[in-house]
Amino acid sequence: MPSDQFVVLDGVRLHHLDWGGDGEPVLLLAGLGCTAHVFAELAPHLSDRFRVVALTRPGHGASERVRTGYALSDGAEDARRLLDALGIARAHVVGHSMGGGEASALAARHPRRVASVVYLDGAYDWADNPTSKWQEETPGPDHFASYEDYVDHVHALLPDVRGPAFDAMLRSSVDTRPDGSVVDRHSGPDFAPFVEALTRFRHPYTDIAAPALAIYAIGDQREGPEAAWRAACRDRFTQDTADGRVVDLCGSDYLFIDRRDDVVSAMREHLAQRST
């Protein structure tokens, strides 16, 4: 794991990780509620061929909180500013879940900065989701008596996701108090702008010229409107993307952890074909 690094972008101090590497740059954008640490197992399997960097968006992990609302286009501009700060003219951009929306926004707004796009279960139009699951969910607890209690709570929600990357991400997602209790930074009103931004977003595929790879997780057996929505999102990506390819993997939303080797293989093939 590289050391934590920070950069001030548009007045906000943001956290990022840099695994190094001498090849073309790859920028990793994490999903909702995740930090750059979530890529700890994926990044080293790319850094032999690429320079790999990951950004933690505002209000997540060690990055400063946002003071006002948030849109995925804001995340795209933060990604652009990070590339500027690191002296990177053009990068392959990889987005997990919500990070996929930020990758799309970046590719549409700044096409010369994006060599290609990879969606890690992130090519979904959340604004079209008929289940409105985020609005209907009961907010979870944000205070826990111990870090272990917090970890047990997260593992109960995501029973199939384990490993050092997930552990590192969880460590970076809480504040620890003197009495040993912890506060989840991703709960409560401070997190609401990100949920709202996600539920308003549709990918601007027709405005994206960069070649794209969408890796979909098909492990969950969804039925009804949820399944139909996911199929429609997949169809829209295929139809509206000028140069797109789809890979289906049986796994969780965190398929780059539980199906890491398969994800790495698909990504390396895509990136190698799109490298100059």
Side-chain angles (χ1 to χ4, degrees):
M1 176 72 71
S3 60
D4 293 324
Q5 300 183 39
F6 296 88
V7 61
V8 177
L9 305 176
D10 195 29
V12 179
R13 186 173 183 261
L14 298 184
H15 167 264
H16 65 98
L17 296 173
D18 190 340
W19 281 266
D22 297 326
E24 293 185 5
V26 172
L27 175 61
L28 306 174
L29 302 177
L32 178 67
C34 297
T35 72
H37 293 90
V38 78
F39 297 114
E41 293 175 61
L42 175 68
H45 290 271
L46 299 172
S47 59
D48 65 319
R49 175 65 178 79
F50 303 92
R51 180 188 176 185
V52 185
V53 178
L55 174 65
T56 300
R57 74 174 57 81
H60 288 60
S63 290
E64 286 185 348
R65 288 174 168 81
V66 292
R67 300 293 186 267
T68 58
Y70 188 83
L72 271 67
S73 58
D74 296 327
E77 292 305 320
D78 285 335
R80 176 190 59 80
R81 294 184 187 103
L82 178 64
L83 296 179
D84 290 344
L86 298 178
I88 296 174
R90 194 164 180 257
H92 302 279
V93 183
V94 180
H96 167 230
S97 192
M98 181 176 179
E102 293 165 338
S104 280
L106 177 62
R109 294 164 71 95
H110 302 285
R112 295 184 179 180
R113 308 300 300 271
V114 178
S116 73
V117 181
V118 177
Y119 300 98
L120 300 176
D121 210 37
Y124 289 108
D125 296 310
W126 294 281
D128 298 337
N129 187 341
T131 63
S132 301
K133 63 178 181 179
W134 291 282
Q135 289 90 340
E136 294 173 359
E137 285 179 347
T138 302
D142 58 0
H143 290 74
F144 299 86
S146 67
Y147 178 72
E148 290 71 24
D149 287 345
Y150 166 71
V151 171
D152 289 343
H153 170 75
V154 175
H155 283 169
L157 297 175
L158 299 167
D160 298 326
V161 185
R162 295 288 191 276
F166 200 67
D167 293 342
M169 191 270 292
L170 293 183
R171 281 285 179 189
S172 68
S173 300
V174 296
D175 292 318
T176 303
R177 294 182 168 181
D179 64 357
S181 64
V182 299
V183 179
D184 182 0
R185 297 174 183 169
H186 301 153
S187 296
D190 287 342
F191 206 55
F194 302 101
V195 176
E196 183 180 354
L198 187 63
T199 58
R200 292 196 307 261
F201 189 78
R202 296 184 86 245
H203 289 267
Y205 294 131
T206 56
D207 297 328
I208 298 174
L213 168 66
I215 306 178
Y216 285 97
I218 59 172
D220 293 336
Q221 299 302 314
R222 298 178 175 91
E223 300 178 351
E226 174 81 4
W229 166 71
R230 288 178 176 270
C233 289
R234 190 182 188 281
D235 290 343
R236 181 170 178 261
F237 169 83
T238 302
Q239 294 167 6
D240 291 357
T241 304
D243 184 1
R245 186 168 71 94
V246 169
V247 171
D248 293 324
L249 291 177
C250 186
S252 74
D253 178 50
Y254 292 87
L255 46 75
F256 57 97
I257 294 178
D258 54 33
R259 293 294 301 273
R260 184 199 66 202
D261 291 348
D262 295 307
V263 169
V264 168
S265 177
M267 286 183 63
R268 288 177 73 94
E269 179 183 354
H270 170 79
L271 296 174
Q273 291 175 348
R274 308 307 179 183
S275 297
T276 57

Tab-separated table of all heavy atoms in Angstrom, residues 123-129 203 205 216 227-239:
chain	number	residue	atom	x	y	z
A	123	ALA	N	-21.717	0.986	-15.107
A	123	ALA	CA	-22.422	1.476	-16.291
A	123	ALA	C	-23.921	1.329	-16.093
A	123	ALA	O	-24.614	0.617	-16.842
A	123	ALA	CB	-21.947	0.739	-17.539
A	124	TYR	N	-24.435	2.004	-15.064
A	124	TYR	CA	-25.866	1.993	-14.773
A	124	TYR	C	-26.392	3.425	-14.726
A	124	TYR	O	-25.720	4.323	-14.226
A	124	TYR	CB	-26.149	1.315	-13.429
A	124	TYR	CG	-25.931	-0.175	-13.441
A	124	TYR	CD1	-24.840	-0.737	-12.788
A	124	TYR	CD2	-26.811	-1.024	-14.101
A	124	TYR	CE1	-24.629	-2.108	-12.804
A	124	TYR	CE2	-26.605	-2.397	-14.115
A	124	TYR	CZ	-25.512	-2.927	-13.464
A	124	TYR	OH	-25.305	-4.284	-13.490
A	125	ASP	N	-27.608	3.609	-15.233
A	125	ASP	CA	-28.280	4.911	-15.171
A	125	ASP	C	-29.158	4.927	-13.928
A	125	ASP	O	-30.330	4.537	-13.962
A	125	ASP	CB	-29.127	5.136	-16.426
A	125	ASP	CG	-28.282	5.213	-17.687
A	125	ASP	OD1	-27.295	5.969	-17.691
A	125	ASP	OD2	-28.610	4.512	-18.661
A	126	TRP	N	-28.585	5.393	-12.820
A	126	TRP	CA	-29.287	5.305	-11.541
A	126	TRP	C	-30.537	6.167	-11.511
A	126	TRP	O	-31.468	5.869	-10.764
A	126	TRP	CB	-28.316	5.688	-10.417
A	126	TRP	CG	-27.206	4.714	-10.259
A	126	TRP	CD1	-27.240	3.506	-9.625
A	126	TRP	CD2	-25.878	4.838	-10.772
A	126	TRP	NE1	-26.024	2.881	-9.707
A	126	TRP	CE2	-25.166	3.678	-10.408
A	126	TRP	CE3	-25.209	5.818	-11.508
A	126	TRP	CZ2	-23.830	3.469	-10.754
A	126	TRP	CZ3	-23.880	5.618	-11.857
A	126	TRP	CH2	-23.205	4.443	-11.473
A	127	ALA	N	-30.579	7.220	-12.322
A	127	ALA	CA	-31.784	8.058	-12.357
A	127	ALA	C	-32.993	7.285	-12.860
A	127	ALA	O	-34.138	7.666	-12.578
A	127	ALA	CB	-31.543	9.279	-13.244
A	128	ASP	N	-32.763	6.202	-13.599
A	128	ASP	CA	-33.862	5.408	-14.169
A	128	ASP	C	-34.258	4.222	-13.303
A	128	ASP	O	-35.142	3.451	-13.686
A	128	ASP	CB	-33.463	4.895	-15.562
A	128	ASP	CG	-33.198	6.024	-16.543
A	128	ASP	OD1	-33.714	7.135	-16.313
A	128	ASP	OD2	-32.466	5.795	-17.524
A	129	ASN	N	-33.611	4.047	-12.169
A	129	ASN	CA	-33.884	2.884	-11.332
A	129	ASN	C	-35.302	2.964	-10.768
A	129	ASN	O	-35.620	3.873	-9.991
A	129	ASN	CB	-32.866	2.831	-10.180
A	129	ASN	CG	-32.975	1.560	-9.357
A	129	ASN	OD1	-33.992	0.869	-9.394
A	129	ASN	ND2	-31.947	1.248	-8.612
A	203	HIS	N	-25.738	8.323	-17.803
A	203	HIS	CA	-24.458	8.409	-18.496
A	203	HIS	C	-24.611	9.116	-19.854
A	203	HIS	O	-25.510	8.774	-20.641
A	203	HIS	CB	-23.893	7.006	-18.734
A	203	HIS	CG	-23.416	6.331	-17.499
A	203	HIS	ND1	-22.111	6.386	-17.064
A	203	HIS	CD2	-24.081	5.568	-16.589
A	203	HIS	CE1	-21.981	5.693	-15.952
A	203	HIS	NE2	-23.173	5.187	-15.637
A	205	TYR	N	-23.363	8.708	-22.763
A	205	TYR	CA	-22.584	7.832	-23.645
A	205	TYR	C	-22.388	8.418	-25.045
A	205	TYR	O	-21.323	8.267	-25.643
A	205	TYR	CB	-23.265	6.467	-23.772
A	205	TYR	CG	-23.303	5.647	-22.511
A	205	TYR	CD1	-24.504	5.061	-22.091
A	205	TYR	CD2	-22.164	5.437	-21.744
A	205	TYR	CE1	-24.557	4.290	-20.941
A	205	TYR	CE2	-22.222	4.674	-20.589
A	205	TYR	CZ	-23.416	4.102	-20.190
A	205	TYR	OH	-23.467	3.344	-19.048
A	216	TYR	N	-19.743	-6.069	-15.988
A	216	TYR	CA	-20.961	-6.142	-15.179
A	216	TYR	C	-20.887	-7.334	-14.225
A	216	TYR	O	-20.489	-8.436	-14.609
A	216	TYR	CB	-22.188	-6.306	-16.069
A	216	TYR	CG	-22.609	-5.052	-16.797
A	216	TYR	CD1	-22.213	-4.836	-18.116
A	216	TYR	CD2	-23.400	-4.096	-16.179
A	216	TYR	CE1	-22.607	-3.690	-18.797
A	216	TYR	CE2	-23.796	-2.950	-16.852
A	216	TYR	CZ	-23.396	-2.751	-18.157
A	216	TYR	OH	-23.779	-1.615	-18.831
A	227	ALA	N	-34.336	-6.146	-12.160
A	227	ALA	CA	-33.659	-6.908	-13.207
A	227	ALA	C	-33.877	-6.269	-14.569
A	227	ALA	O	-32.950	-6.191	-15.395
A	227	ALA	CB	-34.156	-8.352	-13.210
A	228	ALA	N	-35.092	-5.792	-14.824
A	228	ALA	CA	-35.383	-5.152	-16.104
A	228	ALA	C	-34.581	-3.872	-16.272
A	228	ALA	O	-34.084	-3.561	-17.368
A	228	ALA	CB	-36.879	-4.856	-16.206
A	229	TRP	N	-34.464	-3.114	-15.199
A	229	TRP	CA	-33.670	-1.874	-15.239
A	229	TRP	C	-32.212	-2.170	-15.549
A	229	TRP	O	-31.596	-1.503	-16.394
A	229	TRP	CB	-33.802	-1.136	-13.906
A	229	TRP	CG	-32.791	-0.049	-13.717
A	229	TRP	CD1	-32.736	1.156	-14.364
A	229	TRP	CD2	-31.669	-0.070	-12.823
A	229	TRP	NE1	-31.654	1.897	-13.932
A	229	TRP	CE2	-30.982	1.163	-12.979
A	229	TRP	CE3	-31.186	-0.995	-11.905
A	229	TRP	CZ2	-29.852	1.479	-12.252
A	229	TRP	CZ3	-30.054	-0.677	-11.174
A	229	TRP	CH2	-29.389	0.547	-11.347
A	230	ARG	N	-31.656	-3.166	-14.908
A	230	ARG	CA	-30.250	-3.500	-15.148
A	230	ARG	C	-30.036	-3.949	-16.594
A	230	ARG	O	-29.040	-3.581	-17.227
A	230	ARG	CB	-29.789	-4.571	-14.162
A	230	ARG	CG	-29.642	-4.035	-12.742
A	230	ARG	CD	-29.226	-5.085	-11.737
A	230	ARG	NE	-29.025	-4.475	-10.435
A	230	ARG	CZ	-27.876	-3.973	-9.991
A	230	ARG	NH1	-26.804	-4.034	-10.769
A	230	ARG	NH2	-27.783	-3.434	-8.810
A	231	ALA	N	-30.954	-4.723	-17.113
A	231	ALA	CA	-30.841	-5.161	-18.506
A	231	ALA	C	-30.943	-3.966	-19.454
A	231	ALA	O	-30.218	-3.883	-20.454
A	231	ALA	CB	-31.928	-6.182	-18.812
A	232	ALA	N	-31.839	-3.020	-19.141
A	232	ALA	CA	-31.991	-1.839	-19.987
A	232	ALA	C	-30.729	-0.983	-19.962
A	232	ALA	O	-30.324	-0.422	-20.990
A	232	ALA	CB	-33.195	-1.020	-19.526
A	233	CYS	N	-30.088	-0.887	-18.799
A	233	CYS	CA	-28.838	-0.122	-18.698
A	233	CYS	C	-27.748	-0.761	-19.547
A	233	CYS	O	-26.991	-0.059	-20.240
A	233	CYS	CB	-28.376	-0.042	-17.240
A	233	CYS	SG	-29.400	1.008	-16.190
A	234	ARG	N	-27.680	-2.065	-19.497
A	234	ARG	CA	-26.683	-2.788	-20.292
A	234	ARG	C	-26.943	-2.571	-21.784
A	234	ARG	O	-26.005	-2.329	-22.557
A	234	ARG	CB	-26.742	-4.275	-19.947
A	234	ARG	CG	-25.625	-5.141	-20.508
A	234	ARG	CD	-25.867	-6.591	-20.103
A	234	ARG	NE	-24.770	-7.460	-20.419
A	234	ARG	CZ	-24.510	-7.963	-21.622
A	234	ARG	NH1	-25.291	-7.634	-22.641
A	234	ARG	NH2	-23.484	-8.767	-21.809
A	235	ASP	N	-28.212	-2.639	-22.177
A	235	ASP	CA	-28.560	-2.432	-23.581
A	235	ASP	C	-28.222	-1.009	-24.013
A	235	ASP	O	-27.733	-0.793	-25.133
A	235	ASP	CB	-30.047	-2.708	-23.810
A	235	ASP	CG	-30.399	-4.179	-23.680
A	235	ASP	OD1	-29.471	-5.016	-23.727
A	235	ASP	OD2	-31.591	-4.489	-23.514
A	236	ARG	N	-28.492	-0.049	-23.161
A	236	ARG	CA	-28.210	1.345	-23.525
A	236	ARG	C	-26.713	1.574	-23.683
A	236	ARG	O	-26.283	2.279	-24.598
A	236	ARG	CB	-28.790	2.296	-22.473
A	236	ARG	CG	-28.544	3.761	-22.814
A	236	ARG	CD	-29.308	4.721	-21.921
A	236	ARG	NE	-28.952	6.070	-22.312
A	236	ARG	CZ	-28.045	6.823	-21.678
A	236	ARG	NH1	-27.449	6.355	-20.591
A	236	ARG	NH2	-27.752	8.027	-22.097
A	237	PHE	N	-25.912	0.994	-22.804
A	237	PHE	CA	-24.467	1.115	-22.967
A	237	PHE	C	-24.044	0.557	-24.323
A	237	PHE	O	-23.281	1.185	-25.058
A	237	PHE	CB	-23.731	0.379	-21.848
A	237	PHE	CG	-22.253	0.252	-22.093
A	237	PHE	CD1	-21.386	1.287	-21.786
A	237	PHE	CD2	-21.715	-0.910	-22.666
A	237	PHE	CE1	-20.023	1.184	-22.034
A	237	PHE	CE2	-20.360	-1.019	-22.920
A	237	PHE	CZ	-19.508	0.036	-22.601
A	238	THR	N	-24.531	-0.615	-24.655
A	238	THR	CA	-24.160	-1.270	-25.917
A	238	THR	C	-24.579	-0.445	-27.130
A	238	THR	O	-23.826	-0.311	-28.105
A	238	THR	CB	-24.792	-2.666	-25.994
A	238	THR	OG1	-24.365	-3.439	-24.863
A	238	THR	CG2	-24.375	-3.390	-27.255
A	239	GLN	N	-25.774	0.127	-27.081
A	239	GLN	CA	-26.315	0.857	-28.228
A	239	GLN	C	-25.722	2.252	-28.370
A	239	GLN	O	-25.503	2.726	-29.500
A	239	GLN	CB	-27.836	0.949	-28.096
A	239	GLN	CG	-28.540	-0.398	-28.187
A	239	GLN	CD	-29.988	-0.325	-27.741
A	239	GLN	OE1	-30.514	0.753	-27.458
A	239	GLN	NE2	-30.642	-1.485	-27.670
